[in-house]
Structure formats: structure tokens, C-alpha cells
Amino acid sequence: MTDPYTPPESDVTVADDSVPRKIGWKIFFWVLFLIEATYLISEVVEPTEELQILAVEVVVYFFTFLGIFGYAYNRKFFFQKFWGYFIPVAVLWDVYSLVEVATLEFEIPIEYFIYYGSIAIVVFPLLALQYLALYKYRFHSPYIWNR
């Protein structure tokens, strides 16, 4: 006879402590997504980039966000080796974008310091975290890939 106050074993849910929740990465994903969406909307409203450059940006960041989302929410997208091949593509695209931005000309010298200072303070840490998420997704997430 079973105890009426104890649910059957199939109804008992046990939290799997081996799978991290990654709340910080989820927040990071949405913040970065909003930043990129704002940039893309501004490009649609008032274009400053060529259409081909914008198309590559959309494709690269589509996969970047898919990888960060997969890591943050413990989801499989494509296959694990794909992300190892994609990380250098994302890095090269961002290097290209930053080199292209480096060719801007400013009217007064202080604008150089403000512009490049903000890139160093804001953009580099966001890019580093983006690559870290993709790296961890590819190389340090057996709980995602081995299910």
C-alpha cells in the first residue's frame, strides 16, 4: 500500500544540479541582442553602410546570437564542430568592422579619444564576453552536446 501523501515517482521532479542555469549569460544575450537590434534598425532608417556589408553583418550576428542563446539556454544548434569553425569567422568579421571604423576622420582631435576610448571601454569587453560564450558553448558544454 502506498502513502496517499507521497506522489508517485514519475511525478517527482528533481532539479538537475549538473546543468548550470546561467542567468548572467541570459542577461548578457538580451542586452547584446538589444544593442545589435538598435544598430540594425538605425541602419534601416538612415543607412551608413553598404548593403553587402550590412547583409554580412546580419548573417554573422545571426549565428553569433544563435550560439550565445544556445549556450545561455542550454540548447543545441547545428553541431558542436560547427561552432569551432564559426568562432574565427566571428572574430575576423569584428576585426574587419573595427578596422573599417578606424578609418573615420574627425574634425577635432578630442573626438578621437572619446570615440576610441568608448570602443575600448564598452565594445572590447562585450566582444570578449561574446567570444567567451561561443568558446564555452563549443568546448565546455558537455551537458548540452551529450544529451
Side-chain angles (χ1 to χ4, degrees):
M1 181 157 192
T2 60
D3 181 10
Y5 299 106
T6 305
E9 286 186 39
S10 62
D11 292 344
V12 177
T13 57
V14 178
D16 187 5
D17 293 334
S18 65
V19 178
R21 293 178 59 208
K22 301 184 237 177
I23 294 171
W25 286 109
K26 290 174 184 174
I27 293 169
F28 173 73
F29 167 79
W30 288 108
V31 167
L32 197 62
F33 182 80
L34 289 173
I35 291 171
E36 185 68 17
T38 303
Y39 164 72
L40 290 176
I41 290 169
S42 72
E43 281 296 319
V44 168
V45 172
E46 191 174 315
T48 60
E49 298 285 343
E50 294 178 17
L51 186 58
Q52 297 89 345
I53 300 294
L54 193 57
V56 173
E57 176 90 10
V58 167
V59 170
V60 169
Y61 271 91
F62 171 78
F63 287 109
T64 299
F65 286 121
L66 197 61
I68 296 170
F69 181 88
Y71 178 65
Y73 287 91
N74 300 318
R75 302 277 194 266
K76 283 187 207 179
F77 293 107
F78 302 111
F79 50 95
Q80 192 173 8
K81 283 187 177 183
F82 168 83
W83 297 103
Y85 298 125
F86 176 73
I87 293 169
V89 171
V91 170
L92 288 173
W93 175 254
D94 287 330
V95 167
Y96 168 78
S97 296
L98 290 172
V99 167
E100 183 183 353
V101 166
T103 61
L104 295 176
E105 295 191 20
F106 298 99
E107 293 178 16
I108 56 176
I110 193 72
E111 289 178 335
Y112 282 110
F113 295 109
I114 294 170
Y115 188 76
Y116 293 116
S118 65
I119 287 177
I121 293 169
V122 176
V123 175
F124 285 152
L126 290 175
L127 291 177
L129 286 171
Q130 167 184 300
Y131 304 139
L132 178 62
L134 292 173
Y135 175 81
K136 291 179 91 163
Y137 185 50
R138 163 57 178 100
F139 295 103
H140 295 286
S141 301
Y143 50 88
I144 294 172
W145 299 108
N146 295 335
R147 1 179 178 150

